[in-house]
Amino acid sequence: MTPAAVAPPPRPLIGPDELRAAVARLGAELSRAYPMGVLLIGVLKGSVPFLADLIRAIDTDVAVDFLAISAYTEGTGRVRIVKDLEGDIWDRDVVLVEDIVDTGLTATYVLGELRRRGPRSVEVCTLLDKAVRRLVPVSIRFVGFEIGDEFVVGYGMDFGERFRNLECIMAADVHALRADPNAYFDALYTR
Ligand code: 5GP
């Protein structure tokens, strides 16, 4: 019998200092782009830490709303809104805030929904852009980091609801996590 493969350890990809610097840069870019104010729309739940930091890096009028989406069927890219916005976005300058844009299917769907509601403008701000994985083109005006084809967790991003609270972004072996959801528990949570 061959021994079970050992999961490669999670690898730090983006540390807290780099995250802080990127958020400060994006906050300055957004402040410059929207001197009269902006409505940020966070996609739950992954964007929460990023959005919380980002609003404090913006020094113009900023309002926040949230929506939550869920896949109809995992892996198909078909999504639906499970929690809608509270407010009207008609004639507003809107920025969709994402943790990560991967295939682009989610952002494309959400942007379509938002545009139907008649905002004055809609742009995308994503912390991470996994551009090499794109299946549908998405125009992203504000980008924190472009990353390669890696599965990442931390700073809002999860695997099975875990790891959102890490203060850095780690690259993890998603196959190892699927095989054993506890694969990285000790490495990431036990100090
Ligand atoms: P899409 O493929 O539609 O662009 O991305 C959909 C969603 O998949 C993202 O909003 C994010 O929740 C999730 N996702 C994509 N890549 C990763 C990743 O590397 N790590 C984690 N934790 N989630 C991801």
Side-chain angles (χ1 to χ4, degrees):
M1 224 168 71
T2 49
V6 176
R11 189 165 45 84
L13 199 62
I14 306 171
D17 291 345
E18 287 172 282
L19 285 172
R20 267 191 290 278
V23 168
R25 171 177 58 79
L26 290 169
E29 287 177 18
L30 285 157
S31 304
R32 261 199 312 277
Y34 300 98
M36 303 307 289
V38 63
L39 169 63
L40 301 186
I41 295 182
V43 181
L44 295 171
K45 305 170 193 167
S47 70
V48 168
F50 174 44
L51 185 73
D53 287 342
L54 188 61
I55 56 171
R56 287 173 289 174
I58 294 174
D59 58 13
T60 57
D61 184 21
V62 58
V64 173
D65 206 342
F66 290 98
L67 52 77
I69 50 176
S70 164
Y72 271 113
T73 313
E74 212 54 58
T76 61
R78 292 185 61 224
V79 292
R80 66 197 160 101
I81 292 179
V82 292
K83 183 222 166 284
D84 208 340
L85 301 174
E86 258 173 47
D88 196 354
I89 62 169
W90 169 260
D91 207 27
R92 304 287 300 269
D93 288 311
V94 169
V95 174
L96 179 67
V97 178
E98 287 266 23
D99 49 357
I100 184 164
V101 178
D102 181 14
T103 62
L105 291 166
T106 306
T108 300
Y109 170 81
V110 175
L111 285 171
E113 277 294 313
L114 296 180
R115 287 195 179 111
R116 281 198 308 115
R117 301 178 188 192
R120 187 183 309 141
S121 67
V122 189
E123 299 286 353
V124 178
C125 174
T126 188
L127 178 67
L128 303 182
D129 180 5
K130 231 194 260 187
V132 291
R133 293 249 312 156
R134 201 73 88 247
L135 293 179
V136 284
V138 184
S139 167
I140 307 177
R141 178 158 174 199
F142 306 97
V143 178
F145 302 90
E146 186 170 323
I147 63 167
D149 187 1
E150 319 236 30
F151 182 78
V152 293
V153 293
Y155 198 60
M157 283 163 281
D158 73 316
F159 180 84
E161 293 300 324
R162 268 187 185 158
F163 309 129
R164 294 192 198 275
N165 59 334
L166 302 178
E167 58 179 354
C168 63
I169 291 175
M170 311 282 292
D173 182 336
V174 74
H175 305 291
L177 277 168
R178 284 198 189 118
D180 174 11
N182 291 320
Y184 290 136
F185 188 88
D186 286 350
L188 294 179
Y189 277 151
T190 311
R191 284 158 210 271

